[in-house]
Amino acid sequence: MDGVLRLYFGESNQPTPDYIKRAAIEAMDSGYTFYTENAGLLSLREEIAAHYLRLQNVALDPAREIVVTASGVQALNVTIRCVLDPGDEALILTPAWPNGASIVAMSCAKAIEIPQPLRGDRYEIDWNALEAAVTSRTRLLVYTSPSNPLGWTATEIDQDRLLEFSRRHGLWLLADEVYDRLWYETETLGTPVPSILRKATRDDAVMVVHSFSKSYCMTGWRLGYLIARADLAAQATQLNEFIVSHAPSFTQRAGETALRDGEPELAAMLHRLKSNRDFCIDALSRMPRLTIPRPEGAFYLFPRVEGMTDSFDFCRRLLLETRVGLAPGVAFGVGGEGSIRICYAAGMTILEPAMERLHKFLDRMEA
Ligand SMILES: Cc1ncc(COP(=O)(O)O)c(C=O)c1O
């Protein structure tokens, strides 16, 4: 459809910054056109370790605990496939970006979705439901913080309990932290959400997934990484060989530059995102029927629409009648129905008319 105000996607509308593009061109010119190690260039893994120490105060062994992957989704793919046998079960906190559950299914295992209840304006973890869902086949617990689509971030208490729960039941804990830099709760923007790795020991069965897509506007480059216990990282490295072998070499070099020089651009982007978020919350809070959970991170809002039971139909009608494109909550698994996801990583020339049209659409529903 032409002329759609697109807020259904999961990426910023900003192109990759020039300094990253230049780094890729320079890398190609200086010979980074060959295969690299399956775990990625050691120079990038060292840069990731330095970055982690600087931002999270966590010391990682770049040779044994970090694997570069051709995207965050590829990091999810290898981590999940490494720990599940056919017939195993994985607990997944939902609403969530659906790829985790799909990768579990592709491993011939079963995804058990545990919806996060909304209490007041904050999502929580349903610990009783988690306990009740554990069986002799449960191997893995997956959560995303900051969350797509909720914007929720795990608190330190949540992290302690997730770790304790996983240790007690002998599960792997997979934390999707691809939105860790997009956090709006601190005085100075740019402080990452504290990683679960601050709490876990390097011997814990913990895996963390990262991506360059969101923080550096590099969605099309396909670059991510995983951090895991050394034995799992070694297996993931082998599995990488049979899927894509490794991430493109010049992309990896550009990733090094992004980590080293990216803070000023990132800070500018975070200011724009925070002001977009606040603009949308303000606009939504004046519309009928909506409950707006408070999003602490990522770049999504996930308002609940009172009385709406078919979010797909709602979004289709919104699109046809107003040319505003939102993602239906049902796409994000159990607990998602009844809500709509709005990506606010867009310019004001899109957000302003989109909010106006949504308001009128909801007014018409009311009438
Ligand atoms: C929660 C979450 N994890 C992982 C990814 C994967 O990102 P990419 O494959 O672009 O690195 C996304 C992308 O939307 C996401 O929302």
Side-chain angles (χ1 to χ4, degrees):
M1 263 186 172
D2 288 335
V4 172
L5 302 175
R6 301 184 313 129
L7 302 180
Y8 53 79
F9 45 70
E11 62 183 340
S12 164
N13 69 342
Q14 295 298 307
T16 308
D18 283 342
Y19 75 94
I20 300 177
K21 292 189 219 163
R22 278 197 303 275
I25 294 166
E26 277 162 28
M28 277 187 258
D29 284 344
S30 56
Y32 283 90
T33 59
F34 295 97
Y35 289 134
T36 75
E37 298 88 324
N38 291 134
L41 291 167
L42 185 59
S43 51
L44 174 54
R45 285 179 279 149
E46 283 170 349
E47 201 60 57
I48 292 168
H51 181 80
Y52 239 79
L53 190 59
R54 206 165 48 237
L55 290 171
Q56 296 281 8
N57 200 22
V58 172
L60 297 169
D61 180 346
R64 296 173 67 243
E65 291 167 341
I66 299 172
V67 181
V68 174
T69 53
S71 75
V73 72
Q74 169 68 355
L76 284 171
N77 192 18
V78 290
T79 46
I80 291 173
R81 286 180 160 211
C82 274
V83 301
L84 294 180
D85 280 331
D88 283 346
E89 293 172 9
L91 308 176
I92 303 185
L93 297 192
T94 58
W97 190 57
N99 291 35
S102 300
I103 295 165
V104 169
M106 278 168 52
S107 316
C108 301
K110 197 165 158 200
I112 313 289
E113 300 188 9
I114 311 289
Q116 292 191 238
L118 179 62
R119 298 238 166 75
D121 66 353
R122 208 174 181 280
Y123 282 93
E124 290 180 357
I125 298 176
D126 187 342
W127 299 103
N128 292 335
L130 267 179
E131 291 288 352
V134 176
T135 73
S136 59
R137 294 308 302 261
T138 313
R139 296 284 176 276
L140 171 67
L141 168 57
V142 184
Y143 76 101
T144 309
S145 168
S147 156
N148 169 11
L150 305 180
W152 166 87
T153 59
T155 61
E156 288 213 25
I157 294 170
D158 292 333
Q159 289 180 328
D160 284 332
R161 289 186 75 173
L162 285 164
L163 259 179
E164 186 277 329
F165 176 86
S166 307
R167 285 175 184 149
R168 181 158 44 83
H169 292 290
L171 310 181
W172 279 93
L173 182 61
L174 171 53
D176 182 334
E177 297 187 356
V178 307
Y179 293 97
D180 70 332
R181 301 304 307 276
L182 310 187
W183 196 36
Y184 313 105
E185 296 299 294
T186 51
E187 195 77 0
T188 326
L189 293 180
T191 309
V193 172
S195 172
I196 189 79
L197 293 172
R198 290 197 194 184
K199 304 220 166 245
T201 71
R202 297 294 75 81
D203 291 326
D204 269 314
V206 169
M207 312 178 282
V208 174
V209 164
H210 277 283
S211 169
F212 286 75
S213 289
K214 316 292 174 175
S215 314
Y216 303 107
C217 303
M218 289 174 72
T219 47
W221 296 63
R222 315 312 297 135
L223 188 62
Y225 59 98
L226 64 93
I227 301 168
R229 203 173 71 192
D231 55 344
L232 191 286
Q235 288 200 337
T237 303
Q238 285 189 328
L239 190 52
N240 230 1
E241 167 66 20
F242 308 118
I243 303 177
V244 286
S245 300
H246 60 77
S249 43
F250 46 87
T251 299
Q252 293 188 48
R253 288 293 279 180
E256 286 175 34
T257 301
L259 293 178
R260 217 172 23 239
D261 302 338
E263 294 306 307
E265 291 256 6
L266 180 64
M269 179 173 83
L270 287 170
H271 280 100
R272 282 196 304 274
L273 287 175
K274 188 173 184 206
S275 120
N276 288 357
R277 180 194 73 157
D278 294 346
F279 166 78
C280 290
I281 292 178
D282 186 50
L284 292 167
S285 64
R286 279 183 264 113
M287 298 183 200
R289 288 171 176 249
L290 298 187
T291 307
I292 309 144
R294 192 180 152 65
E296 296 137 5
F299 42 45
Y300 307 106
L301 287 156
F302 202 61
R304 214 170 247 191
V305 186
E306 189 198 313
M308 187 262 283
T309 51
D310 185 344
S311 55
F312 190 83
D313 181 59
F314 178 95
C315 287
R316 186 171 40 203
R317 283 195 292 123
L318 181 73
L319 180 66
L320 292 172
E321 288 176 32
T322 74
R323 292 279 200 276
V324 173
L326 304 184
V330 69
F332 302 95
V334 181
E337 187 52 286
S339 299
I340 45 178
R341 191 193 73 174
I342 300 170
C343 173
Y344 56 79
M348 287 305 280
T349 52
I350 297 172
L351 292 175
E352 262 172 6
M355 289 300 121
E356 253 171 55
R357 292 184 205 178
L358 177 62
H359 197 154
K360 287 193 183 135
F361 182 80
L362 287 164
D363 279 345
R364 281 202 297 279
M365 264 177 90
E366 277 288 275

